[in-house]
Amino acid sequence: MTDHAGLYIHIPFCRSRCQYCGFYSETRCCTDAYVKAAVREMELRSTDGAPYLFDTVYFGGGTPSCLSPGQTEELLSAARKWFPVSDHAEITMEMNPCDMSDPWLRNIYGLGVNRISVGVQSQRDDLLIRIGRRHTAAEARSAVR
């Protein structure tokens, strides 16, 4: 394998809809049926024999941090089964600050997520309310810490 590639896993679920968002999303938690369909899609699109080494796996959305650790594990296991994912891959998950508790982060880290992208659009509470974010500026600062 000589060429490097990235694998994007789309999670089109959010607990609430932000006013500025132009992406398709459902305002509910990710369903097991969606996870099963995503796993099946990975199988169908697997790169058996292709000259790629996947050195990044990126969970985007929506709000991938609404996945349960079990759902995250199922998706990562499928990615590793159906694609040649590097042992040293950067595995990123987009997260909302209000989803980031210490136990949840420890679980996700234990599954292999080693990079997070925190959705902090503002440090002004009035603007966060106006654009429909569920967290406060203080919660965002705490999450980043």
Side-chain angles (χ1 to χ4, degrees), residues 7 23 37 61 66 72 81 86 91 94 108 117 124 132 139 143:
L7 180 63
F23 297 107
C66 73
T72 304
K81 177 179 180 179
S86 168
I91 301 175
E94 292 179 355
I108 296 303
S117 175
R124 291 181 36 203
E139 288 171 322

Side-chain angles (χ1 to χ4, degrees), residues 33-55:
Y34 181 83
V35 171
K36 299 272 186 239
V39 167
R40 178 68 176 134
E41 186 75 12
M42 284 187 236
E43 178 184 1
L44 292 171
R45 297 189 180 273
S46 68
T47 58
D48 253 359
Y52 298 110
L53 178 63
F54 288 80
D55 56 5

Side-chain angles (χ1 to χ4, degrees), residues 88-92 108-109 112-116:
H88 306 289
E90 178 180 275
I91 301 175
T92 302
I108 296 303
Y109 178 74
V113 174
N114 53 27
R115 182 175 179 269
I116 59 175

